[in-house]
Amino acid sequence: MNIEVVKEDRSLTDFVRFPWRVYKGDMNWIPPQIKEYKFILGNKNPLWNHAERMLFLLRKKEKIVGRIAGIIDYNHISFHNEKCGFFGFFECSRDYAFAKRLLDEVCDWLREKDIEIIRGPVNPSMNDECGFLVEGFDSPPFLMMPYNPRYYIDYIEKYGLEKCKDLYAYLFEITPAQIGNMEKISKRVEKQRARVRPINLKNFAQEINIIKEIYNTSWRDNWGFVPMTDEEIMYMAKRLKSLLVPELLLILEVKGNFAGFVMTLPNYNEALRNLNKHWWDTIKLLWRLRKIKSLRVIAMGVKPEYRRRGFEALLYLESLKIALKKGYQQCEFSWILEDNILTQRAAEKMGGKLYKRYRIYEMKI
């Protein structure tokens, strides 16, 4: 077995394309968007202004059998005051020896950088796909959520990594009855001079700055959180702009102050499932994009001073009303930290069922 450090574009292409070998025949796997992944891993991603990465390919007799990334986010180190590094983009063929060699390589690299803890997977940050799927293998992932073979869990735990934190995904049906039940909650906030409005795309940059301020304030105390820089938030906004349904990116104002937001996106994975690189896939994709019936609540935040006053429920309610009007039938709320009991209860009150569980692992090195 030989380790190759990814330095050239050709090697990066090999790195991004390798999962097709692992998931061949797996009907629940959603193929990655190659151009998108190259951008995430490339130098234009503003994450790398305060972080560094090392990408490794593992070959056996010239055949690629695994890949992994080592990641160090210096903003995470300073914000949390811990010498923690990450691994991500882990994929390997079915042989524990491959997984061990990949993890050995990343651990060695992190030790050389004076890192004391390895944690992951994050691909490449907590604001992107993260965690290994540990429960819920019977259905495909929603947009921007990970998926992996079951044997990855065995390999990771055999290596010595242990559970750090679980992340939950809830699934619920969007029905008039469900919305009717939530209307009762919304009446409690009517007297608080609150209003929920959609994002104004004509003032896109200004609106994104508002969301960034709410996000960094409301998520500050969440486990694993690192404040997003101006460059990162604009980069993510530009990535997602073409995917947005403007009516489903909502901002909460209370007495004229910006208090919260919720971002819900169509589950584009519905359209991407089981495409096989044939010429007619483009036609198939365009047709499927018109037929998407599910959504994912990607992010929601309410500033601390406005919590426990019903505003979270108001944001969800307004999102679901619009979703129902547009013909969506299902919504995934993900991810939710395992110790975020308040948000879990909110999901359950909306009729959500815990149906997938993801896990982030760690180990001292």
Short mmCIF file of all heavy atoms in Angstrom, two decimals, residues 76-105:
data_model
loop_
_atom_site.label_atom_id
_atom_site.label_comp_id
_atom_site.label_asym_id
_atom_site.label_seq_id
_atom_site.Cartn_x
_atom_site.Cartn_y
_atom_site.Cartn_z
N HIS A 76 -11.00 27.48 15.07
CA HIS A 76 -11.57 26.54 16.06
C HIS A 76 -10.64 26.42 17.26
O HIS A 76 -11.10 26.44 18.42
CB HIS A 76 -11.77 25.16 15.43
CG HIS A 76 -12.27 24.13 16.41
ND1 HIS A 76 -13.60 23.80 16.53
CD2 HIS A 76 -11.62 23.37 17.32
CE1 HIS A 76 -13.74 22.89 17.48
NE2 HIS A 76 -12.55 22.60 17.96
N ILE A 77 -9.35 26.30 17.01
CA ILE A 77 -8.38 26.15 18.10
C ILE A 77 -8.43 27.36 19.03
O ILE A 77 -8.46 27.23 20.26
CB ILE A 77 -6.97 25.93 17.54
CG1 ILE A 77 -6.89 24.54 16.88
CG2 ILE A 77 -5.91 26.07 18.63
CD1 ILE A 77 -5.59 24.28 16.15
N SER A 78 -8.47 28.56 18.46
CA SER A 78 -8.47 29.76 19.29
C SER A 78 -9.82 29.99 19.97
O SER A 78 -9.87 30.42 21.13
CB SER A 78 -8.10 30.99 18.45
OG SER A 78 -9.01 31.18 17.39
N PHE A 79 -10.93 29.67 19.28
CA PHE A 79 -12.26 29.90 19.84
C PHE A 79 -12.56 28.94 20.99
O PHE A 79 -13.14 29.33 22.01
CB PHE A 79 -13.32 29.77 18.75
CG PHE A 79 -14.70 30.21 19.17
CD1 PHE A 79 -15.05 31.55 19.19
CD2 PHE A 79 -15.66 29.28 19.55
CE1 PHE A 79 -16.31 31.96 19.57
CE2 PHE A 79 -16.93 29.68 19.93
CZ PHE A 79 -17.26 31.02 19.95
N HIS A 80 -12.14 27.68 20.84
CA HIS A 80 -12.44 26.66 21.86
C HIS A 80 -11.25 26.37 22.78
O HIS A 80 -11.39 25.60 23.73
CB HIS A 80 -12.89 25.36 21.19
CG HIS A 80 -14.23 25.48 20.51
ND1 HIS A 80 -15.42 25.42 21.20
CD2 HIS A 80 -14.55 25.67 19.21
CE1 HIS A 80 -16.42 25.55 20.35
NE2 HIS A 80 -15.93 25.71 19.13
N ASN A 81 -10.11 26.96 22.46
CA ASN A 81 -8.92 26.78 23.28
C ASN A 81 -8.59 25.29 23.47
O ASN A 81 -8.36 24.81 24.58
CB ASN A 81 -9.08 27.45 24.65
CG ASN A 81 -7.76 27.56 25.40
OD1 ASN A 81 -6.70 27.67 24.78
ND2 ASN A 81 -7.83 27.55 26.71
N GLU A 82 -8.58 24.55 22.38
CA GLU A 82 -8.20 23.14 22.41
C GLU A 82 -7.40 22.82 21.15
O GLU A 82 -7.72 23.31 20.07
CB GLU A 82 -9.41 22.22 22.53
CG GLU A 82 -10.38 22.28 21.37
CD GLU A 82 -11.47 21.23 21.44
OE1 GLU A 82 -11.43 20.38 22.35
OE2 GLU A 82 -12.36 21.25 20.57
N LYS A 83 -6.38 22.01 21.32
CA LYS A 83 -5.53 21.63 20.18
C LYS A 83 -6.17 20.45 19.46
O LYS A 83 -5.72 19.31 19.57
CB LYS A 83 -4.12 21.31 20.66
CG LYS A 83 -3.38 22.52 21.21
CD LYS A 83 -1.95 22.16 21.59
CE LYS A 83 -1.18 23.38 22.07
NZ LYS A 83 0.21 23.05 22.44
N CYS A 84 -7.22 20.76 18.73
CA CYS A 84 -8.01 19.73 18.06
C CYS A 84 -7.87 19.88 16.55
O CYS A 84 -7.97 20.97 16.00
CB CYS A 84 -9.48 19.85 18.47
SG CYS A 84 -10.57 18.71 17.63
N GLY A 85 -7.64 18.76 15.89
CA GLY A 85 -7.65 18.70 14.44
C GLY A 85 -8.73 17.73 13.99
O GLY A 85 -9.32 17.02 14.81
N PHE A 86 -8.98 17.69 12.70
CA PHE A 86 -10.09 16.90 12.19
C PHE A 86 -9.64 15.98 11.05
O PHE A 86 -8.64 16.22 10.39
CB PHE A 86 -11.19 17.82 11.66
CG PHE A 86 -11.75 18.75 12.71
CD1 PHE A 86 -11.20 20.01 12.90
CD2 PHE A 86 -12.81 18.36 13.51
CE1 PHE A 86 -11.71 20.87 13.87
CE2 PHE A 86 -13.33 19.21 14.48
CZ PHE A 86 -12.78 20.46 14.66
N PHE A 87 -10.42 14.92 10.87
CA PHE A 87 -10.32 14.16 9.64
C PHE A 87 -11.65 14.27 8.91
O PHE A 87 -12.70 14.50 9.52
CB PHE A 87 -9.96 12.69 9.91
CG PHE A 87 -11.08 11.86 10.49
CD1 PHE A 87 -11.92 11.11 9.66
CD2 PHE A 87 -11.29 11.79 11.86
CE1 PHE A 87 -12.95 10.34 10.18
CE2 PHE A 87 -12.30 11.02 12.40
CZ PHE A 87 -13.15 10.29 11.56
N GLY A 88 -11.60 14.14 7.60
CA GLY A 88 -12.82 14.26 6.81
C GLY A 88 -12.67 13.58 5.47
O GLY A 88 -11.60 13.08 5.12
N PHE A 89 -13.77 13.55 4.71
CA PHE A 89 -13.80 12.95 3.37
C PHE A 89 -13.28 11.52 3.39
O PHE A 89 -12.65 11.07 2.44
CB PHE A 89 -13.02 13.82 2.38
CG PHE A 89 -13.53 15.22 2.28
CD1 PHE A 89 -12.96 16.26 3.01
CD2 PHE A 89 -14.61 15.52 1.46
CE1 PHE A 89 -13.46 17.55 2.94
CE2 PHE A 89 -15.11 16.81 1.39
CZ PHE A 89 -14.53 17.83 2.12
N PHE A 90 -13.56 10.82 4.49
CA PHE A 90 -13.07 9.45 4.65
C PHE A 90 -13.92 8.50 3.80
O PHE A 90 -15.13 8.45 3.91
CB PHE A 90 -13.16 9.04 6.13
CG PHE A 90 -12.81 7.60 6.38
CD1 PHE A 90 -11.50 7.23 6.64
CD2 PHE A 90 -13.79 6.61 6.37
CE1 PHE A 90 -11.17 5.90 6.87
CE2 PHE A 90 -13.47 5.28 6.60
CZ PHE A 90 -12.15 4.93 6.85
N GLU A 91 -13.23 7.75 2.95
CA GLU A 91 -13.86 6.67 2.18
C GLU A 91 -12.82 5.58 1.98
O GLU A 91 -11.64 5.89 1.73
CB GLU A 91 -14.33 7.15 0.80
CG GLU A 91 -15.28 8.34 0.79
CD GLU A 91 -16.72 7.99 1.13
OE1 GLU A 91 -16.98 6.79 1.43
OE2 GLU A 91 -17.57 8.89 1.11
N CYS A 92 -13.24 4.32 2.10
CA CYS A 92 -12.28 3.25 1.83
C CYS A 92 -13.01 1.98 1.42
O CYS A 92 -14.18 1.77 1.78
CB CYS A 92 -11.36 2.99 3.02
SG CYS A 92 -12.07 2.05 4.38
N SER A 93 -12.33 1.16 0.66
CA SER A 93 -12.86 -0.14 0.29
C SER A 93 -12.92 -1.04 1.52
O SER A 93 -12.36 -0.71 2.57
CB SER A 93 -11.99 -0.77 -0.80
OG SER A 93 -11.98 0.05 -1.96
N ARG A 94 -13.59 -2.18 1.40
CA ARG A 94 -13.89 -3.02 2.55
C ARG A 94 -12.67 -3.83 2.99
O ARG A 94 -12.47 -4.99 2.61
CB ARG A 94 -15.05 -3.96 2.22
CG ARG A 94 -15.63 -4.67 3.45
CD ARG A 94 -16.69 -5.66 3.02
NE ARG A 94 -17.90 -4.99 2.60
CZ ARG A 94 -18.93 -4.72 3.40
NH1 ARG A 94 -18.88 -5.08 4.67
NH2 ARG A 94 -19.99 -4.12 2.93
N ASP A 95 -11.83 -3.18 3.79
CA ASP A 95 -10.67 -3.84 4.39
C ASP A 95 -10.17 -2.92 5.52
O ASP A 95 -9.81 -1.77 5.27
CB ASP A 95 -9.56 -4.04 3.35
CG ASP A 95 -8.42 -4.91 3.87
OD1 ASP A 95 -8.11 -4.84 5.08
OD2 ASP A 95 -7.82 -5.66 3.07
N TYR A 96 -10.16 -3.43 6.74
CA TYR A 96 -9.76 -2.59 7.87
C TYR A 96 -8.34 -2.06 7.70
O TYR A 96 -8.02 -0.95 8.16
CB TYR A 96 -9.87 -3.37 9.18
CG TYR A 96 -9.29 -2.60 10.36
CD1 TYR A 96 -9.89 -1.43 10.82
CD2 TYR A 96 -8.10 -3.02 10.97
CE1 TYR A 96 -9.34 -0.71 11.86
CE2 TYR A 96 -7.54 -2.30 12.02
CZ TYR A 96 -8.16 -1.15 12.46
OH TYR A 96 -7.62 -0.43 13.49
N ALA A 97 -7.48 -2.81 7.05
CA ALA A 97 -6.09 -2.37 6.85
C ALA A 97 -6.04 -1.05 6.10
O ALA A 97 -5.17 -0.21 6.36
CB ALA A 97 -5.30 -3.44 6.10
N PHE A 98 -6.97 -0.85 5.17
CA PHE A 98 -7.01 0.41 4.43
C PHE A 98 -7.38 1.57 5.36
O PHE A 98 -6.76 2.64 5.34
CB PHE A 98 -8.02 0.33 3.28
CG PHE A 98 -7.76 -0.76 2.29
CD1 PHE A 98 -8.81 -1.30 1.54
CD2 PHE A 98 -6.49 -1.26 2.08
CE1 PHE A 98 -8.58 -2.29 0.60
CE2 PHE A 98 -6.24 -2.26 1.15
CZ PHE A 98 -7.30 -2.78 0.41
N ALA A 99 -8.41 1.35 6.18
CA ALA A 99 -8.85 2.40 7.10
C ALA A 99 -7.74 2.75 8.09
O ALA A 99 -7.49 3.94 8.37
CB ALA A 99 -10.10 1.94 7.85
N LYS A 100 -7.07 1.74 8.61
CA LYS A 100 -6.00 1.97 9.59
C LYS A 100 -4.87 2.79 8.98
O LYS A 100 -4.36 3.73 9.60
CB LYS A 100 -5.46 0.65 10.11
CG LYS A 100 -4.38 0.81 11.18
CD LYS A 100 -3.90 -0.53 11.70
CE LYS A 100 -2.91 -0.34 12.85
NZ LYS A 100 -1.74 0.49 12.50
N ARG A 101 -4.48 2.45 7.77
CA ARG A 101 -3.37 3.17 7.13
C ARG A 101 -3.75 4.64 6.90
O ARG A 101 -2.93 5.54 7.11
CB ARG A 101 -3.03 2.50 5.81
CG ARG A 101 -1.86 3.17 5.07
CD ARG A 101 -0.56 3.09 5.86
NE ARG A 101 0.49 3.86 5.23
CZ ARG A 101 1.28 3.41 4.24
NH1 ARG A 101 1.11 2.17 3.78
NH2 ARG A 101 2.21 4.16 3.73
N LEU A 102 -4.99 4.89 6.47
CA LEU A 102 -5.43 6.27 6.24
C LEU A 102 -5.46 7.07 7.54
O LEU A 102 -4.97 8.20 7.59
CB LEU A 102 -6.83 6.25 5.61
CG LEU A 102 -6.92 5.78 4.16
CD1 LEU A 102 -8.36 5.47 3.79
CD2 LEU A 102 -6.34 6.82 3.20
N LEU A 103 -6.01 6.48 8.59
CA LEU A 103 -6.09 7.18 9.87
C LEU A 103 -4.70 7.38 10.48
O LEU A 103 -4.43 8.42 11.09
CB LEU A 103 -7.00 6.41 10.83
CG LEU A 103 -8.49 6.45 10.47
CD1 LEU A 103 -9.26 5.35 11.20
CD2 LEU A 103 -9.08 7.82 10.78
N ASP A 104 -3.83 6.40 10.32
CA ASP A 104 -2.43 6.55 10.78
C ASP A 104 -1.79 7.77 10.13
O ASP A 104 -1.10 8.56 10.79
CB ASP A 104 -1.61 5.31 10.44
CG ASP A 104 -1.85 4.14 11.38
OD1 ASP A 104 -2.44 4.36 12.45
OD2 ASP A 104 -1.45 3.02 11.03
N GLU A 105 -2.03 7.92 8.83
CA GLU A 105 -1.39 9.01 8.08
C GLU A 105 -1.87 10.37 8.60
O GLU A 105 -1.06 11.29 8.79
CB GLU A 105 -1.72 8.86 6.60
CG GLU A 105 -0.75 9.56 5.68
CD GLU A 105 0.63 8.89 5.65
OE1 GLU A 105 0.73 7.67 5.87
OE2 GLU A 105 1.63 9.63 5.41
#
